[in-house]
Amino acid sequence: MGVMESGDYDIVIVGGGPSGAMAAFSLAKHYRVLVLERFALPREKSCSGVLVRKSLDCLSSTMGMPPDSVCCSPKVTSGLAMHTLRRVYEFEDPGMNIVRSRFDYWMLRCAEERGATLRDRALVTDMVPREDSIELCGMLAGARFSLRASLVLACDGVNGNSRRICRLPPQNKVVTCQKFYRADIDMDRSKFVAFTSPEFSRYDAWVNSKDGCVVVGSIAADRREATAFQSVFEGHLKEAANLRINEELRCEYWSLPLVQPGNEPVLNAGRVFFCGEAAGLLNPFGEGMSIGMASAKAISEVICGYGLADMECLAVRYKAALQTEVSYMKRQWALLYEIAPEFRANAAGIVVA
């Protein structure tokens, strides 16, 4: 995947995660589409790896249901148990437990089969607006490249370059720390269990299961603080849920957008349109795959309906098409702040450098 073909593209998608792959799949039948993924594929991403019902509904109406090969055990998840300072809330939501590297790669291969071109180890370093196009420059497997497109879809997440390149305000972030243990615990392995106590996190802490491993995580302003909170939370699980650790297998760090009241998504800057976390779209407890894929599907449908000639028209139509998803996201956050006021206080207390 390391050779760039000559010629221009109608649409370049920056980022090969679920939103980028969904956009590529949806657009490749109608346009010449290129996906640029920064890392070598298949690539890992620290994630709970749970496809909630909204994600599965989106997939079933487009690509189809994921194959068993992308799943881990328990394959079927049953929902969320949220431990607040007041009480435990149970939210039923049948879903699917997946390994992100396998799942993302499956999605990208589906897009390739549909006609999209995929290149990994491709870092975009600049986007230069031209009269009727945008020029992208960067590095591909150690060699420089330059190409043009009518439109760019930025699907490169909160750690991507696209917002900086477009000279947009940087997103505030929080840092996740999650450790995989060969362990036993007295909890329902089919649930994603979240804790909002400020003792365990400055955002939330969680535990879930994958292929016999117990995954324990926490969130804070930086790695050091997130690691410290994770250790305290682990101690709580040993006392409250009889966590019995046999071996630590690995530790992962990642970043998430710091979503707070009043945050509005950034959906475009000229010929660059943003999806998923790159747009600031994220559901509570870091669930970003459903709204990431929904945003990619929305902009793809707008493009297929109105073409690539009028960027202002696309921006207006995209915002309108995404309004239902954005409203749903905001309602979810409002509900969380209502039933767990400490969560809102946790987030408000984060000092972002």
Side-chain angles (χ1 to χ4, degrees), residues 272-314:
V272 182
F273 288 75
F274 296 87
C275 299
E277 289 182 16
L281 299 169
L282 187 71
N283 292 320
F285 303 117
E287 195 288 300
M289 285 190 284
S290 65
I291 198 165
M293 289 189 286
S295 60
K297 186 177 178 183
I299 186 58
S300 299
E301 290 174 350
V302 169
I303 291 170
C304 289
Y306 297 93
L308 297 171
D310 190 336
M311 295 298 118
E312 291 185 6
C313 173
L314 290 181

Side-chain angles (χ1 to χ4, degrees), residues 146-169:
S146 175
L147 58 91
R148 291 198 184 197
S150 295
L151 180 146
V152 173
L153 292 183
C155 304
D156 49 349
V158 73
N159 290 326
N161 285 335
S162 295
R163 286 176 65 120
R164 178 188 58 79
I165 291 171
C166 292
R167 295 177 174 82
L168 294 172

Side-chain angles (χ1 to χ4, degrees), residues 71-257:
C71 298
C72 57
S73 65
K75 176 182 175 181
V76 178
T77 58
S78 60
L80 166 71
M82 185 171 69
H83 292 244
T84 74
L85 294 181
R86 296 175 178 176
R87 52 168 284 193
V88 178
Y89 294 87
E90 300 277 353
F91 298 97
E92 292 186 12
D93 189 82
M96 181 179 290
N97 205 6
I98 52 118
V99 177
R100 275 296 302 269
S101 59
R102 297 180 208 159
F103 172 72
D104 290 10
Y105 196 52
W106 166 74
M107 290 189 72
L108 287 170
R109 294 310 298 262
C110 288
E112 268 195 315
E113 291 171 7
R114 189 92 158 185
T117 301
L118 173 63
R119 295 291 177 260
D120 63 353
R121 296 178 294 162
L123 174 63
V124 177
T125 57
D126 202 4
M127 302 181 198
V128 183
R130 302 301 184 190
E131 184 177 351
D132 59 354
S133 64
I134 185 165
E135 182 179 357
L136 292 91
C137 305
M139 303 294 294
L140 176 71
R144 293 189 179 279
F145 74 84
S146 175
L147 58 91
R148 291 198 184 197
S150 295
L151 180 146
V152 173
L153 292 183
C155 304
D156 49 349
V158 73
N159 290 326
N161 285 335
S162 295
R163 286 176 65 120
R164 178 188 58 79
I165 291 171
C166 292
R167 295 177 174 82
L168 294 172
Q171 294 192 82
N172 291 333
K173 304 176 187 179
V174 288
V175 175
T176 68
C177 169
Q178 66 172 9
K179 294 186 177 183
F180 286 69
Y181 296 108
R182 185 173 289 114
D184 294 303
I185 192 170
D186 295 344
M187 281 185 176
D188 185 344
R189 294 276 184 131
S190 72
K191 292 185 183 295
F192 183 87
V193 186
F195 294 75
T196 61
S197 170
E199 293 182 42
F200 310 140
S201 173
R202 289 198 186 275
Y203 214 53
D204 68 276
W206 67 92
V207 58
N208 65 315
S209 297
K210 287 188 172 296
D211 283 341
C213 296
V214 176
V215 185
V216 180
S218 186
I219 298 178
D222 55 41
R223 282 194 177 200
R224 179 195 59 78
E225 191 176 53
T227 304
F229 272 117
Q230 193 277 345
S231 180
V232 173
F233 179 50
E234 177 189 306
H236 169 76
L237 293 175
K238 289 177 180 178
E239 293 184 7
N242 197 21
L243 173 65
R244 300 162 321 269
I245 296 174
N246 297 314
E247 181 183 4
E248 179 181 327
L249 300 177
R250 68 179 186 272
C251 177
E252 299 176 342
Y253 295 96
W254 201 253
S255 297
L256 293 173

Side-chain angles (χ1 to χ4, degrees), residues 25-44:
F25 180 87
S26 302
L27 292 164
K29 265 199 167 184
H30 309 281
Y31 296 96
R32 191 171 186 216
V33 174
L34 171 67
V35 181
L36 299 177
E37 166 54 44
R38 180 173 183 172
F39 299 102
L41 293 170
R43 63 104 167 93
E44 296 287 345

